[in-house]
Amino acid sequence: MPSDAPEVRQEQLTARELCQLNAYRKARAVAKQIPDALVLGADTLVVLDTQWFGKPASLAQAEQMLEQLQGRTHQVVTGVCLVHLRHFRQKIFAETTRVTFHPLSAKQIRYYLGAINPLDKAGGYAIQEKGDLLVDKIGGSFSNVAGLPVERLKAELENW
């Protein structure tokens, strides 16, 4: 179920804190509609130095993001919230993965953006969709970069 909770951007928070806050807001909004269910909310940001990249608003913005990321290492931060309203339980956590891009030409970036839909992806890219064209190496969870840290989620659900 998509959440109708608007994502917040509060510059005084770290990227990790902001992703956890937005994941909580999304999960809580859905959980209010189905209080007997275990609900998972997630939110992802791409972080380069002190700059945060969410979902690009346009193809031109996606191209600018990839131009900045090319040839450099950035972090992908995903906040996750598990909530069960009826049982008064919740768990919030975040996972961070380091991603290094190949150096890319403007032509390579345009080719990549023509091959995928970058508008619903933090940083304007999807590692699971032709990611080999962009990504040189990752340090940490591949599934986190794809949008949900499955290994950590599995461990959290086993402890739930």
Side-chain angles (χ1 to χ4, degrees), residues 59 62-63 66 106-118 124 129-130 133-134:
L59 201 55
E63 187 172 351
L66 295 182
K107 183 178 178 180
Q108 289 171 308
I109 290 171
R110 283 192 301 277
Y111 173 81
Y112 178 78
L113 293 175
I116 70 143
N117 173 15
E129 293 180 48
K130 300 188 182 292
L133 298 175
L134 306 177

PDB file of all heavy atoms in Angstrom, residues 59 62-63 66 106-118 124 129-130 133-134:
ATOM      1  N   LEU A  59      14.050  14.497 -15.676  1.00  0.00           N
ATOM      2  CA  LEU A  59      15.161  13.800 -16.322  1.00  0.00           C
ATOM      3  C   LEU A  59      16.432  14.651 -16.253  1.00  0.00           C
ATOM      4  O   LEU A  59      17.524  14.126 -16.029  1.00  0.00           O
ATOM      5  CB  LEU A  59      14.791  13.485 -17.775  1.00  0.00           C
ATOM      6  CG  LEU A  59      15.562  12.387 -18.468  1.00  0.00           C
ATOM      7  CD1 LEU A  59      15.519  11.088 -17.683  1.00  0.00           C
ATOM      8  CD2 LEU A  59      15.020  12.165 -19.866  1.00  0.00           C
ATOM      9  N   ALA A  62      17.895  14.228 -12.852  1.00  0.00           N
ATOM     10  CA  ALA A  62      18.532  12.909 -12.757  1.00  0.00           C
ATOM     11  C   ALA A  62      19.899  12.940 -13.429  1.00  0.00           C
ATOM     12  O   ALA A  62      20.880  12.393 -12.904  1.00  0.00           O
ATOM     13  CB  ALA A  62      17.641  11.837 -13.387  1.00  0.00           C
ATOM     14  N   GLU A  63      19.987  13.593 -14.570  1.00  0.00           N
ATOM     15  CA  GLU A  63      21.268  13.704 -15.289  1.00  0.00           C
ATOM     16  C   GLU A  63      22.281  14.479 -14.450  1.00  0.00           C
ATOM     17  O   GLU A  63      23.446  14.077 -14.341  1.00  0.00           O
ATOM     18  CB  GLU A  63      21.043  14.396 -16.636  1.00  0.00           C
ATOM     19  CG  GLU A  63      22.257  14.403 -17.520  1.00  0.00           C
ATOM     20  CD  GLU A  63      21.975  14.905 -18.924  1.00  0.00           C
ATOM     21  OE1 GLU A  63      20.800  15.100 -19.287  1.00  0.00           O
ATOM     22  OE2 GLU A  63      22.956  15.117 -19.661  1.00  0.00           O
ATOM     23  N   LEU A  66      23.593  12.179 -11.626  1.00  0.00           N
ATOM     24  CA  LEU A  66      24.567  11.185 -12.100  1.00  0.00           C
ATOM     25  C   LEU A  66      25.894  11.836 -12.483  1.00  0.00           C
ATOM     26  O   LEU A  66      26.957  11.247 -12.267  1.00  0.00           O
ATOM     27  CB  LEU A  66      23.994  10.374 -13.260  1.00  0.00           C
ATOM     28  CG  LEU A  66      22.800   9.489 -12.914  1.00  0.00           C
ATOM     29  CD1 LEU A  66      22.354   8.692 -14.130  1.00  0.00           C
ATOM     30  CD2 LEU A  66      23.088   8.575 -11.748  1.00  0.00           C
ATOM     31  N   ALA A 106      29.138  12.169 -20.494  1.00  0.00           N
ATOM     32  CA  ALA A 106      27.767  12.661 -20.643  1.00  0.00           C
ATOM     33  C   ALA A 106      26.963  11.707 -21.530  1.00  0.00           C
ATOM     34  O   ALA A 106      25.778  11.455 -21.273  1.00  0.00           O
ATOM     35  CB  ALA A 106      27.773  14.067 -21.232  1.00  0.00           C
ATOM     36  N   LYS A 107      27.603  11.142 -22.552  1.00  0.00           N
ATOM     37  CA  LYS A 107      26.927  10.207 -23.450  1.00  0.00           C
ATOM     38  C   LYS A 107      26.509   8.932 -22.701  1.00  0.00           C
ATOM     39  O   LYS A 107      25.400   8.431 -22.881  1.00  0.00           O
ATOM     40  CB  LYS A 107      27.855   9.860 -24.615  1.00  0.00           C
ATOM     41  CG  LYS A 107      27.240   8.952 -25.643  1.00  0.00           C
ATOM     42  CD  LYS A 107      28.204   8.698 -26.786  1.00  0.00           C
ATOM     43  CE  LYS A 107      27.591   7.748 -27.803  1.00  0.00           C
ATOM     44  NZ  LYS A 107      28.509   7.485 -28.926  1.00  0.00           N
ATOM     45  N   GLN A 108      27.390   8.412 -21.842  1.00  0.00           N
ATOM     46  CA  GLN A 108      27.063   7.218 -21.057  1.00  0.00           C
ATOM     47  C   GLN A 108      25.905   7.491 -20.087  1.00  0.00           C
ATOM     48  O   GLN A 108      25.030   6.642 -19.912  1.00  0.00           O
ATOM     49  CB  GLN A 108      28.296   6.746 -20.280  1.00  0.00           C
ATOM     50  CG  GLN A 108      29.370   6.137 -21.143  1.00  0.00           C
ATOM     51  CD  GLN A 108      30.654   5.897 -20.365  1.00  0.00           C
ATOM     52  OE1 GLN A 108      31.177   6.796 -19.709  1.00  0.00           O
ATOM     53  NE2 GLN A 108      31.158   4.668 -20.449  1.00  0.00           N
ATOM     54  N   ILE A 109      25.899   8.659 -19.489  1.00  0.00           N
ATOM     55  CA  ILE A 109      24.820   9.025 -18.559  1.00  0.00           C
ATOM     56  C   ILE A 109      23.501   9.114 -19.304  1.00  0.00           C
ATOM     57  O   ILE A 109      22.483   8.576 -18.860  1.00  0.00           O
ATOM     58  CB  ILE A 109      25.155  10.340 -17.826  1.00  0.00           C
ATOM     59  CG1 ILE A 109      26.309  10.106 -16.842  1.00  0.00           C
ATOM     60  CG2 ILE A 109      23.922  10.894 -17.106  1.00  0.00           C
ATOM     61  CD1 ILE A 109      26.869  11.368 -16.208  1.00  0.00           C
ATOM     62  N   ARG A 110      23.493   9.779 -20.459  1.00  0.00           N
ATOM     63  CA  ARG A 110      22.254   9.894 -21.247  1.00  0.00           C
ATOM     64  C   ARG A 110      21.764   8.516 -21.706  1.00  0.00           C
ATOM     65  O   ARG A 110      20.570   8.240 -21.689  1.00  0.00           O
ATOM     66  CB  ARG A 110      22.460  10.832 -22.434  1.00  0.00           C
ATOM     67  CG  ARG A 110      22.439  12.296 -22.041  1.00  0.00           C
ATOM     68  CD  ARG A 110      22.346  13.225 -23.247  1.00  0.00           C
ATOM     69  NE  ARG A 110      23.455  13.058 -24.169  1.00  0.00           N
ATOM     70  CZ  ARG A 110      24.653  13.629 -24.033  1.00  0.00           C
ATOM     71  NH1 ARG A 110      24.895  14.418 -23.017  1.00  0.00           N
ATOM     72  NH2 ARG A 110      25.604  13.421 -24.919  1.00  0.00           N
ATOM     73  N   TYR A 111      22.690   7.637 -22.100  1.00  0.00           N
ATOM     74  CA  TYR A 111      22.301   6.272 -22.500  1.00  0.00           C
ATOM     75  C   TYR A 111      21.626   5.561 -21.327  1.00  0.00           C
ATOM     76  O   TYR A 111      20.574   4.940 -21.481  1.00  0.00           O
ATOM     77  CB  TYR A 111      23.514   5.475 -22.984  1.00  0.00           C
ATOM     78  CG  TYR A 111      23.173   4.027 -23.237  1.00  0.00           C
ATOM     79  CD1 TYR A 111      22.550   3.644 -24.428  1.00  0.00           C
ATOM     80  CD2 TYR A 111      23.430   3.050 -22.282  1.00  0.00           C
ATOM     81  CE1 TYR A 111      22.202   2.324 -24.660  1.00  0.00           C
ATOM     82  CE2 TYR A 111      23.086   1.724 -22.496  1.00  0.00           C
ATOM     83  CZ  TYR A 111      22.469   1.368 -23.687  1.00  0.00           C
ATOM     84  OH  TYR A 111      22.109   0.064 -23.896  1.00  0.00           O
ATOM     85  N   TYR A 112      22.246   5.645 -20.160  1.00  0.00           N
ATOM     86  CA  TYR A 112      21.686   4.983 -18.979  1.00  0.00           C
ATOM     87  C   TYR A 112      20.284   5.525 -18.669  1.00  0.00           C
ATOM     88  O   TYR A 112      19.348   4.757 -18.433  1.00  0.00           O
ATOM     89  CB  TYR A 112      22.601   5.162 -17.761  1.00  0.00           C
ATOM     90  CG  TYR A 112      22.011   4.529 -16.525  1.00  0.00           C
ATOM     91  CD1 TYR A 112      22.083   3.158 -16.334  1.00  0.00           C
ATOM     92  CD2 TYR A 112      21.334   5.287 -15.584  1.00  0.00           C
ATOM     93  CE1 TYR A 112      21.503   2.551 -15.230  1.00  0.00           C
ATOM     94  CE2 TYR A 112      20.750   4.691 -14.468  1.00  0.00           C
ATOM     95  CZ  TYR A 112      20.842   3.331 -14.303  1.00  0.00           C
ATOM     96  OH  TYR A 112      20.250   2.744 -13.224  1.00  0.00           O
ATOM     97  N   LEU A 113      20.121   6.827 -18.667  1.00  0.00           N
ATOM     98  CA  LEU A 113      18.829   7.430 -18.342  1.00  0.00           C
ATOM     99  C   LEU A 113      17.767   7.090 -19.385  1.00  0.00           C
ATOM    100  O   LEU A 113      16.574   7.061 -19.064  1.00  0.00           O
ATOM    101  CB  LEU A 113      18.973   8.947 -18.182  1.00  0.00           C
ATOM    102  CG  LEU A 113      19.810   9.370 -16.971  1.00  0.00           C
ATOM    103  CD1 LEU A 113      20.007  10.878 -16.971  1.00  0.00           C
ATOM    104  CD2 LEU A 113      19.181   8.888 -15.672  1.00  0.00           C
ATOM    105  N   GLY A 114      18.187   6.811 -20.610  1.00  0.00           N
ATOM    106  CA  GLY A 114      17.243   6.383 -21.636  1.00  0.00           C
ATOM    107  C   GLY A 114      16.828   4.924 -21.479  1.00  0.00           C
ATOM    108  O   GLY A 114      15.795   4.504 -22.002  1.00  0.00           O
ATOM    109  N   ALA A 115      17.601   4.170 -20.720  1.00  0.00           N
ATOM    110  CA  ALA A 115      17.342   2.733 -20.562  1.00  0.00           C
ATOM    111  C   ALA A 115      16.480   2.412 -19.343  1.00  0.00           C
ATOM    112  O   ALA A 115      15.940   1.312 -19.246  1.00  0.00           O
ATOM    113  CB  ALA A 115      18.669   1.978 -20.469  1.00  0.00           C
ATOM    114  N   ILE A 116      16.368   3.346 -18.388  1.00  0.00           N
ATOM    115  CA  ILE A 116      15.582   3.104 -17.164  1.00  0.00           C
ATOM    116  C   ILE A 116      14.686   4.306 -16.887  1.00  0.00           C
ATOM    117  O   ILE A 116      14.829   5.356 -17.505  1.00  0.00           O
ATOM    118  CB  ILE A 116      16.491   2.846 -15.926  1.00  0.00           C
ATOM    119  CG1 ILE A 116      17.228   4.127 -15.514  1.00  0.00           C
ATOM    120  CG2 ILE A 116      17.474   1.725 -16.188  1.00  0.00           C
ATOM    121  CD1 ILE A 116      17.371   4.271 -14.034  1.00  0.00           C
ATOM    122  N   ASN A 117      13.783   4.175 -15.920  1.00  0.00           N
ATOM    123  CA  ASN A 117      13.002   5.316 -15.435  1.00  0.00           C
ATOM    124  C   ASN A 117      13.644   5.798 -14.131  1.00  0.00           C
ATOM    125  O   ASN A 117      13.461   5.174 -13.096  1.00  0.00           O
ATOM    126  CB  ASN A 117      11.545   4.931 -15.188  1.00  0.00           C
ATOM    127  CG  ASN A 117      10.763   6.056 -14.535  1.00  0.00           C
ATOM    128  OD1 ASN A 117      11.213   7.206 -14.511  1.00  0.00           O
ATOM    129  ND2 ASN A 117       9.610   5.748 -13.985  1.00  0.00           N
ATOM    130  N   PRO A 118      14.389   6.895 -14.166  1.00  0.00           N
ATOM    131  CA  PRO A 118      15.108   7.336 -12.968  1.00  0.00           C
ATOM    132  C   PRO A 118      14.269   8.146 -11.987  1.00  0.00           C
ATOM    133  O   PRO A 118      14.729   8.444 -10.890  1.00  0.00           O
ATOM    134  CB  PRO A 118      16.216   8.216 -13.561  1.00  0.00           C
ATOM    135  CG  PRO A 118      15.560   8.831 -14.760  1.00  0.00           C
ATOM    136  CD  PRO A 118      14.679   7.732 -15.325  1.00  0.00           C
ATOM    137  N   GLY A 124      18.574   8.955  -8.787  1.00  0.00           N
ATOM    138  CA  GLY A 124      18.325   8.841 -10.212  1.00  0.00           C
ATOM    139  C   GLY A 124      18.853   7.575 -10.850  1.00  0.00           C
ATOM    140  O   GLY A 124      19.009   7.506 -12.065  1.00  0.00           O
ATOM    141  N   GLU A 129      18.859  -2.244 -12.231  1.00  0.00           N
ATOM    142  CA  GLU A 129      18.497  -1.993 -13.629  1.00  0.00           C
ATOM    143  C   GLU A 129      19.708  -1.412 -14.353  1.00  0.00           C
ATOM    144  O   GLU A 129      19.941  -0.214 -14.308  1.00  0.00           O
ATOM    145  CB  GLU A 129      17.323  -1.011 -13.715  1.00  0.00           C
ATOM    146  CG  GLU A 129      16.017  -1.554 -13.169  1.00  0.00           C
ATOM    147  CD  GLU A 129      14.893  -0.537 -13.295  1.00  0.00           C
ATOM    148  OE1 GLU A 129      14.735   0.045 -14.393  1.00  0.00           O
ATOM    149  OE2 GLU A 129      14.198  -0.334 -12.296  1.00  0.00           O
ATOM    150  N   LYS A 130      20.467  -2.275 -14.988  1.00  0.00           N
ATOM    151  CA  LYS A 130      21.658  -1.874 -15.739  1.00  0.00           C
ATOM    152  C   LYS A 130      22.673  -1.142 -14.865  1.00  0.00           C
ATOM    153  O   LYS A 130      23.436  -0.300 -15.336  1.00  0.00           O
ATOM    154  CB  LYS A 130      21.276  -1.039 -16.959  1.00  0.00           C
ATOM    155  CG  LYS A 130      20.371  -1.772 -17.942  1.00  0.00           C
ATOM    156  CD  LYS A 130      20.182  -0.977 -19.208  1.00  0.00           C
ATOM    157  CE  LYS A 130      19.255  -1.677 -20.162  1.00  0.00           C
ATOM    158  NZ  LYS A 130      19.766  -2.902 -20.729  1.00  0.00           N
ATOM    159  N   LEU A 133      26.439  -0.588 -15.618  1.00  0.00           N
ATOM    160  CA  LEU A 133      26.904   0.515 -16.459  1.00  0.00           C
ATOM    161  C   LEU A 133      27.448   1.662 -15.613  1.00  0.00           C
ATOM    162  O   LEU A 133      28.262   2.456 -16.091  1.00  0.00           O
ATOM    163  CB  LEU A 133      25.762   1.036 -17.342  1.00  0.00           C
ATOM    164  CG  LEU A 133      25.170   0.052 -18.346  1.00  0.00           C
ATOM    165  CD1 LEU A 133      23.974   0.670 -19.050  1.00  0.00           C
ATOM    166  CD2 LEU A 133      26.230  -0.395 -19.344  1.00  0.00           C
ATOM    167  N   LEU A 134      26.991   1.763 -14.367  1.00  0.00           N
ATOM    168  CA  LEU A 134      27.376   2.869 -13.488  1.00  0.00           C
ATOM    169  C   LEU A 134      28.334   2.467 -12.380  1.00  0.00           C
ATOM    170  O   LEU A 134      29.268   3.187 -12.056  1.00  0.00           O
ATOM    171  CB  LEU A 134      26.123   3.456 -12.815  1.00  0.00           C
ATOM    172  CG  LEU A 134      24.954   3.923 -13.665  1.00  0.00           C
ATOM    173  CD1 LEU A 134      23.819   4.380 -12.768  1.00  0.00           C
ATOM    174  CD2 LEU A 134      25.390   5.039 -14.599  1.00  0.00           C
TER     175      LEU A 134
END
